[in-house]
Amino acid sequence: MNIPSDPKPQGLSDALMRGDLLSAKCPSREVMKHVTSRWGVLVLIALEHGTLRFSQLRRRVGGVSERMLAQTLRWLEGDGLVLRVEYDVVPPHVEYQLTPLGREAAEKVRVLADWIEGSMPRIAAHWAEAGTGPQVEDATQA
Amino acid sequence: MNIPSDPKPQGLSDALMRGDLLSAKCPSREVMKHVTSRWGVLVLIALEHGTLRFSQLRRRVGGVSERMLAQTLRWLEGDGLVLRVEYDVVPPHVEYQLTPLGREAAEKVRVLADWIEGSMPRIAAHWAEAGTGPQVEDATQA
DNA sequence: GTTCATACTAACATTTATGTACGTACTTAC
DNA sequence: GTAAGTACGTACATAAATGTTAGTATGAAC
């Protein structure tokens, strides 16, 4: 059954006052979606080192398709985190860089990313112990 | 027109050495996926305040379905970030809490969430200026 | 001439995340 | 008796993210 998602939260005002991310229709969830999207995270981190062109970015961010890179960049640009600079030259030339706002976001995201990377041994250990890791087929044996 | 020259990738290994999140098949991407998933973020933040039961969590995290809450909790539990404690009593009673690892993760995630909430005015301003925000139909007028 | 590179967009296909509805097994409250 | 609460699992359906392929317009390299 449905628990009313937006009841009158008199007692829950705590969550609402310190920011309403926990309540259903907060616009910040949209930004969160862009920033924490699969490629959003990586694009922000990649751009922290400086300006990059589209295809440089594509090569830097392993596995991203052109379509998703373009899409992600449009999201971040729309949120004012990334600045797109286009040069009107014959072979197209476009540069992407972080805005001041984007630099702030990238920093928080990178802290999280660094933590994950640094904690992978502990997490992987838990995977092994609990058998919960990603299912990897052992190709060496049937 | 002054086009800055290509930034030299002083070492592609740079990205690889400080952690390989930017390279395609890094296991940390799996953890990132769980932690930055739509509900993963909110569950971690909600549990920072302390232990919660399933339905408490569901009420706290606005808009989450039972299915996705269970799924998200299994992800986080599998990564060793959340601890599930089950009491074998007649009406089921299960408690969820952060592990020490989970507390670390939740902190980074909350910093990001707080930043987003605090930056919403600037972001929304950019939305308005560029017309890039989420398409919200104005229900008050046609 | 062919090919490559650039920075994309559009169409289409697929995978994944997420939602909805229902069932469980039992208790308490009405 | 009915209804509701608990903590889910399962089946099904949809929405969203993501991938794949093809195409654009031009110049440079071959």
Side-chain angles (χ1 to χ4, degrees):
Chain A
M1 276 310 166
N2 252 356
I3 295 179
S5 44
D6 286 323
K8 189 65 180 64
Q10 343 199 45
L12 300 179
S13 53
D14 167 47
L16 289 173
M17 288 198 314
R18 65 164 208 88
D20 40 5
L21 233 177
L22 284 177
S23 78
K25 16 193 130 187
C26 179
S28 49
R29 285 197 180 180
E30 194 67 23
V31 184
M32 183 66 87
K33 189 153 61 174
H34 301 159
V35 168
T36 65
S37 71
R38 177 168 185 191
W39 306 117
V41 173
L42 303 179
V43 164
L44 286 174
I45 290 174
L47 284 178
E48 244 194 331
H49 295 310
T51 296
L52 287 176
R53 298 180 59 170
F54 185 87
S55 43
Q56 289 179 315
L57 209 39
R58 171 143 146 82
R59 281 185 291 263
R60 182 93 61 162
V61 177
V64 70
S65 66
E66 295 187 359
R67 187 192 176 298
M68 281 315 297
L69 181 55
Q71 170 82 325
T72 302
L73 285 168
R74 264 179 274 131
W75 283 337
L76 299 178
E77 192 194 353
D79 293 342
L81 304 180
V82 161
L83 183 65
R84 191 188 112 112
V85 183
E86 183 179 3
Y87 298 91
D88 192 14
V89 290
V90 171
H93 184 126
V94 181
E95 294 183 351
Y96 292 93
Q97 53 185 290
L98 295 179
T99 64
L101 207 55
R103 235 166 283 131
E104 293 178 33
E107 187 199 331
K108 323 290 182 207
V109 165
R110 185 181 34 76
V111 168
L112 175 62
D114 285 347
W115 178 84
I116 290 181
E117 288 179 352
S119 306
M120 274 312 294
R122 285 185 288 173
I123 294 174
H126 187 271
W127 283 349
E129 193 177 329
T132 46
Q135 320 304 13
V136 178
E137 330 249 323
D138 188 338
T140 64
Q141 268 309 321
Chain B
M1 200 161 296
N2 205 355
I3 300 176
S5 55
D6 270 13
K8 276 273 162 61
Q10 32 204 3
L12 299 175
S13 52
D14 169 46
L16 289 173
M17 287 200 312
R18 64 167 209 89
D20 39 5
L21 234 176
L22 284 177
S23 77
K25 18 192 129 191
C26 179
S28 49
R29 285 197 180 180
E30 193 67 22
V31 183
M32 183 64 89
K33 189 153 61 176
H34 301 158
V35 168
T36 64
S37 72
R38 178 169 184 191
W39 306 116
V41 173
L42 303 178
V43 165
L44 287 175
I45 290 174
L47 284 179
E48 244 195 332
H49 294 310
T51 296
L52 288 176
R53 299 179 58 169
F54 184 87
S55 42
Q56 289 179 314
L57 209 38
R58 169 141 147 83
R59 281 185 291 263
R60 182 91 61 161
V61 177
V64 69
S65 67
E66 296 188 358
R67 187 194 178 297
M68 281 316 295
L69 180 54
Q71 170 83 329
T72 302
L73 284 169
R74 263 180 273 131
W75 283 337
L76 298 178
E77 192 195 352
D79 293 343
L81 305 180
V82 161
L83 184 63
R84 191 188 112 111
V85 183
E86 183 178 3
Y87 298 92
D88 191 14
V89 289
V90 170
H93 184 123
V94 181
E95 292 183 351
Y96 292 92
Q97 53 184 290
L98 295 179
T99 64
L101 207 56
R103 235 166 283 130
E104 293 178 33
E107 186 198 331
K108 324 291 181 205
V109 165
R110 185 181 35 76
V111 167
L112 174 62
D114 286 347
W115 177 84
I116 290 181
E117 287 179 354
S119 306
M120 273 312 294
R122 285 185 287 172
I123 294 173
H126 188 270
W127 282 350
E129 193 178 331
T132 46
Q135 322 305 12
V136 177
E137 330 251 320
D138 189 337
T140 65
Q141 273 306 321

